[in-house]
Amino acid sequence: MNGPLQRFLAATIKTGELEVVDSSGKRHRFGDGSGTPVRIRFHSTAAERAVLFDPEMKLGEEYVNGGYDVEAGSILDLLRILIENVGPRGRTWWMTALSGVRHLVRRLSENNNFAHARRNVHRHYDRDGRLYSLFLDDNRQYSCAYFEDGVTSLDEAQMAKMRHLAAKLNLMPGQRVLDIGSGWGGLGLYLAEHFEVDVTGVTVSDEQFTISNQRAKALGLDKHVRFVNQDYRRISGVFDRIVSVGMFEHVGLARYGEFFRGVERLLARDGVAVVHTIAKKDTPGPINPWMQSYIFPGAYLPTLSELAPQIERQGFWLTDLEVWRLHYANTLAAWNQRFQARRAEAAAIFGEPFCRMWEFYFQLCEIGFRYQGLCVFQLQLAKSIDVVPLTRDYVYGGRRRGAERPVAVQTAGPLRRSA
């Protein structure tokens, strides 16, 4: 094994059971033998050097490119051992220096103007439509599900998420609703059908725009729901309710003020807005560089200290703040389980390196929510002090109201795109 890598692992891996088979076939064991055994096998000395020099980037790259395999345990188990033992204090000087450089240049990659925002969304969301049918729920919700007590099914948890959001919006029939980052249309269609509101959904994904409008027409809701292929910053009008789920992560720190100014401009005086976003509980900083490069270019996860000043500047009441902790970890575990169950199908369509990338993505994110302080914020904003009830009773009553009728779910035809 590469000498510096062996010394680094011997000095840092004190708990757990990690076995490394180097490129020459020699076995090396690290840790105290506790927990789930993990064994990885390197296939080149170049891969060993790369992982030591820049683990934040190369651990993912080398796995995707076949530089090493995980022969016992899982990517999740491997990442857990590394996080528990290395962490910020176990980094070498060069790892710390690389992280510092990335922190300084993050603003360049997060400057999501109109062109950059569309390009970044296109890279992730405008892939072959068959990909998302491999692991998402039937309603194609690509955001954190809400696992109420006793709920284990992904489909039930995603439905619970929509009920919860609808309750916080405190909807009344006839209201105009704006859905910023409307995805494949599931939330907008649900709100229109169950609460008799008029919905405008905005997306800059060509794939999502096409499918969501097809779904609206197939369900007979196209007179009450329309989806537009347009940046939210170019939307005009006034809306009684604004909701944004899983879009704020793509705004970028430099554009936070622009986002909340847009919400203030579009929201009626007696309106309510709910913003649902992945967030961090503590230190501000860029996302994992491998995720930035290969999965979500231009993404940035806020802390409360970064959100609060922008909300204050627009004069909003922060009428409710809810922090979801392990819900997204459970969502990601369900997505990975579904993806692995159809891995052969995915490999036939996209190839094995792509499958390894998606596997690493799911488990790297799950680790973040279980052990690295990632969470979800749901922020309810209002301009007026008395626009929502003074207690949370309406939220739980509203969830039940949204569950009184069956949900129309489109699982074939417009939802799925042919090859």
Side-chain angles (χ1 to χ4, degrees):
M1 178 190 288
N2 175 277
L5 176 60
Q6 183 176 3
R7 290 191 292 273
F8 173 76
L9 293 175
T12 56
I13 306 300
K14 302 301 183 182
T15 62
E17 182 177 345
L18 175 63
E19 180 179 346
V20 179
V21 183
D22 65 26
S23 54
S24 67
K26 186 176 179 181
R27 296 174 181 266
H28 309 264
R29 290 181 173 84
F30 307 95
D32 61 4
S34 61
T36 303
V38 176
R39 182 175 66 253
I40 66 172
R41 181 181 296 271
F42 281 103
H43 299 296
S44 70
T45 55
E48 295 174 12
R49 288 194 299 269
V51 165
L52 175 63
F53 177 70
D54 187 5
E56 287 187 315
M57 177 68 79
K58 297 301 181 179
L59 202 64
E61 280 190 350
E62 291 298 334
Y63 181 72
V64 172
N65 296 330
Y68 71 92
D69 290 317
V70 179
E71 296 184 336
S74 64
I75 289 291
L76 191 76
D77 298 321
L78 171 62
L79 293 173
R80 181 167 52 231
I81 287 177
L82 295 177
I83 288 168
E84 289 176 349
N85 286 277
V86 181
R89 295 178 181 176
R91 290 179 176 180
T92 64
W93 65 265
W94 61 82
M95 294 176 191
T96 302
L98 274 173
S99 181
V101 169
R102 286 172 176 142
H103 187 84
L104 290 173
V105 302
R106 71 183 189 189
R107 297 294 181 90
L108 297 176
S109 63
E110 296 157 9
N111 183 19
N112 291 319
N113 56 30
F114 294 106
H116 289 173
R118 184 172 289 274
R119 180 198 64 196
N120 292 339
V121 165
H122 175 76
R123 282 184 58 186
H124 188 86
Y125 296 97
D126 286 338
R127 298 177 185 270
D128 188 313
R130 292 172 292 179
L131 168 63
Y132 296 99
S133 66
L134 294 173
F135 64 90
L136 294 181
D137 62 297
D138 286 341
N139 204 29
R140 200 172 279 203
Q141 295 285 301
Y142 195 22
S143 57
C144 181
Y146 188 52
F147 288 86
E148 297 173 312
D149 289 344
V151 171
T152 57
S153 160
L154 178 64
D155 287 273
E156 291 177 0
Q158 290 290 14
M159 192 58 61
K161 184 262 300 293
M162 292 196 295
R163 288 198 301 269
H164 198 62
L165 286 164
K168 288 186 176 183
L169 289 168
N170 200 29
L171 298 165
M172 302 297 170
Q175 287 180 329
R176 296 187 65 202
V177 178
L178 176 65
D179 183 359
I180 300 176
S182 52
W184 288 277
L187 178 61
L189 296 170
Y190 171 82
L191 297 180
E193 181 175 13
H194 289 269
F195 297 90
E196 300 176 0
V197 292
D198 184 89
V199 180
T200 298
V202 296
T203 178
V204 290
S205 162
D206 299 335
E207 176 84 4
Q208 292 178 341
F209 165 72
T210 299
I211 290 177
S212 55
N213 279 298
Q214 288 175 343
R215 294 182 69 189
K217 186 174 182 179
L219 293 169
L221 293 171
D222 49 316
K223 291 184 179 180
H224 305 285
V225 188
R226 85 271 326 143
F227 299 96
V228 295
N229 192 343
Q230 191 171 357
D231 195 292
Y232 77 96
R233 290 167 285 194
R234 289 177 168 153
I235 294 293
S236 60
V238 177
F239 297 86
D240 304 295
R241 300 291 187 264
I242 296 176
V243 64
S244 181
V245 180
M247 176 271 181
F248 192 80
E249 299 91 322
H250 303 285
V251 169
L253 181 62
R255 301 282 173 169
Y256 282 5
E258 186 175 48
F259 176 87
F260 286 108
R261 287 193 299 272
V263 173
E264 196 280 334
R265 173 177 60 86
L266 294 165
L267 188 64
R269 183 64 195 167
D270 58 350
V272 175
V274 175
V275 178
H276 169 120
T277 179
I278 300 173
K280 299 174 67 177
K281 77 173 182 65
D282 43 34
T283 309
I287 69 170
N288 175 274
W290 182 85
M291 288 286 293
Q292 180 82 252
S293 296
Y294 292 97
I295 306 298
F296 291 117
Y300 183 83
L301 306 182
T303 62
L304 193 57
S305 63
E306 292 168 317
L307 291 171
Q310 302 298 339
I311 294 170
E312 292 169 1
R313 288 189 186 106
Q314 300 311 313
F316 283 120
W317 282 95
L318 180 57
T319 46
D320 192 84
L321 169 61
E322 187 174 6
V323 181
W324 294 7
R325 287 153 290 138
L326 291 172
H327 292 277
Y328 219 147
N330 294 336
T331 303
L332 287 154
W335 286 347
N336 187 52
Q337 183 179 29
R338 287 179 168 220
F339 185 79
Q340 295 303 335
R342 301 180 66 180
R343 188 185 180 106
E345 184 180 348
I349 301 170
F350 304 104
E352 180 58 22
F354 182 90
C355 291
R356 290 169 75 98
M357 178 174 69
W358 228 245
E359 176 189 14
F360 195 88
Y361 152 48
F362 285 142
Q363 294 182 74
L364 177 63
C365 287
E366 183 179 347
I367 278 287
F369 284 95
R370 293 199 186 279
Y371 303 105
Q372 293 185 296
L374 297 189
C375 58
V376 169
F377 290 164
Q378 280 194 348
L379 307 131
Q380 185 192 61
L381 308 174
K383 294 181 177 180
S384 301
I385 192 172
D386 58 352
V387 73
V388 294
L390 300 183
T391 72
R392 278 183 167 179
D393 293 349
Y394 74 99
V395 173
Y396 301 99
R399 283 218 315 257
R400 289 191 291 274
R401 181 162 64 94
E404 287 173 355
R405 289 182 287 168
V407 177
V409 177
Q410 185 78 12
T411 58
L415 180 59
R416 298 173 187 261
R417 189 183 73 175
S418 58

